[in-house]
Amino acid sequence: MGGHHGREGSARVDPAVQSRPGHRPARQLDRRPARRPACLTRTDAPVPQTAAVVSLFNPDDGVLANAAALLAQVDAVVVVDDGSPRDPARILAELETMGCRVVRLAENSGIAAALNAGITAALTAAAKPDYILTMDQDSLLDAGYVDALLAAAAAAGNAGVPVGMVAPASVRGLPVRRGPVLNGIQLGGEPIQSGLLVPVPVLERLGLFQGTLFIDGVDSEFYLRCEAAGLRTVLAPNAALNHALGSPAAANVFGRDVSVGGRPLNVRTAADWRYYYLFRNRILLARQYGRRFPAWTLKGLLADYRHLAIVTLLAPGRGIRLANAFRGVTDGMRGVSGPRARR
């Protein structure tokens, strides 16, 4: 669930979309007729309303196609520009024309703050949604994605499973953590933030995302908060999301490229600056949740250091990456949170 939004290869401190056959026209927030998901078949059943919240940072024209796909599946879309240094006025104007509600933050405040601003805007609209769908700007949804999540939420509710969030059962490019099956419902482990469906009553009960983390670990913290409250992550069996973390880099040891079976070996790395937040926030979450979730804490710490060892051995940029990770560990031990202080 960051500079900033989880698109790891970008460098930050961290023609308009054409109507397509079958594409539902975009409408203004609160004016879209309600959709009936496939999971609701009774004529007297209430139709759940969904608002998507999309965090933006230096958006380009690609977000227009992604927004069009969203507008075809949800009742409202709120886009939040997180203090982009490159003027996003043209893109934001086009998004507003398409039917999105636009929120602009004065400065880069982090993924949690951006999502929280969008959620607040959605919840104060005339037509209050039942669900919030959190999205990254570069995620493009397949047709039927939202209805699949709504169907999974309804099935879980009917089975007596307390729903904290609903995630896709498949994320192309990433492994999906699976949990046990409860009352016939497939539960999941810790999900990623993009493409995540959260019931509004859960947000009202537990609060919004933890802004002090800024970026990295924001989705993990909310997952742990739900688990502590007895709320479960449900996997939607018929939903898949295209999402990739990090950027591939050619493996190189002592100035020589590494090949396996005659094919170049690539390793996936985050942007150098992200290693500060990855390691700092892992420690902050360990301090906050370690006693309640010791296995999760230990597994996460080991995974992070294993990744750092691999990219230090194989990927260029070792020095700056290690320096950022070390600074993150130091600040995490000191309890430092929020955006990284400049020195």
Side-chain angles (χ1 to χ4, degrees):
M1 331 83 157
H4 102 256
H5 289 313
R7 281 136 335 246
E8 327 247 14
S10 48
R12 311 184 187 119
V13 195
D14 167 315
V17 174
Q18 302 293 321
S19 296
R20 301 188 301 274
H23 169 64
R24 188 169 63 185
R27 308 185 185 185
Q28 292 294 330
L29 188 72
D30 306 327
R31 298 180 185 176
R32 183 178 303 249
R35 300 170 301 109
R36 180 170 298 279
C39 62
L40 298 175
T41 56
R42 289 178 51 198
T43 57
D44 60 344
V47 178
Q49 303 290 295
T50 304
V53 176
V54 187
S55 59
L56 304 179
F57 189 82
N58 286 338
D60 57 24
D61 286 343
V63 306
L64 302 176
N66 296 346
L70 268 176
L71 286 162
Q73 298 193 43
V74 300
D75 302 286
V77 175
V78 182
V79 296
V80 183
D81 180 72
D82 189 10
S84 295
R86 295 201 303 265
D87 184 13
R90 180 185 65 82
I91 297 293
L92 297 181
E94 293 196 45
L95 288 168
E96 196 164 28
T97 299
M98 292 170 63
C100 299
R101 180 171 178 176
V102 173
V103 176
R104 296 189 70 170
L105 302 184
E107 60 183 7
N108 182 209
S109 303
I111 182 69
L115 291 175
N116 289 344
I119 292 169
T120 299
L123 296 186
T124 55
K128 182 179 177 181
D130 302 291
Y131 292 92
I132 295 291
L133 179 74
T134 60
M135 296 293 299
D136 283 346
Q137 70 186 36
D138 53 3
S139 294
L140 177 63
L141 296 186
D142 292 343
Y145 178 90
V146 174
D147 281 351
L149 266 62
L150 290 170
N158 292 336
V161 176
V163 179
M165 63 193 82
V166 184
S170 173
V171 179
R172 303 180 187 111
L174 289 172
V176 172
R177 299 178 176 95
R178 294 180 179 270
V181 174
L182 178 61
N183 299 340
I185 301 299
Q186 176 65 62
L187 302 183
E190 178 184 353
I192 62 170
Q193 168 265 313
S194 190
L196 193 62
L197 188 74
V198 184
V200 166
V202 171
L203 293 166
E204 292 174 332
R205 174 183 169 188
L206 301 185
L208 304 185
F209 295 104
Q210 188 166 305
T212 54
L213 294 174
F214 192 78
I215 181 179
D216 288 310
V218 172
D219 42 11
S220 301
E221 189 282 327
F222 192 76
Y223 162 76
L224 294 173
R225 212 186 321 163
C226 285
E227 286 289 309
L231 302 174
R232 313 308 296 267
T233 298
V234 171
L235 295 185
N238 297 318
L241 180 72
N242 284 308
H243 192 84
L245 296 179
S247 301
N252 185 287
V253 178
F254 300 122
R256 303 185 66 175
D257 291 340
V258 178
S259 299
V260 176
R263 302 180 64 179
L265 177 65
N266 288 327
V267 291
R268 192 166 290 276
T269 67
D272 293 340
W273 58 268
R274 291 289 295 271
Y275 285 86
Y276 169 80
Y277 292 102
L278 285 165
F279 282 83
R280 186 199 71 178
N281 290 354
R282 178 67 69 181
I283 292 177
L284 293 179
L285 291 177
R287 290 162 62 110
Q288 186 175 358
Y289 291 102
R291 290 187 178 181
R292 181 68 184 268
F293 300 104
W296 177 91
T297 301
L298 179 60
K299 183 178 179 181
L301 286 168
L302 292 175
D304 284 351
Y305 284 97
R306 174 180 177 271
H307 168 78
L308 185 62
I310 291 172
V311 297
T312 298
L313 175 65
L314 297 176
R318 298 166 178 85
I320 186 63
R321 195 180 299 122
L322 285 171
N324 284 328
F326 179 76
R327 170 84 179 276
V329 170
T330 302
D331 281 358
M333 296 298 291
R334 294 170 52 219
V336 174
S337 61
R340 182 176 180 175
R342 295 184 180 181
R343 291 181 183 174

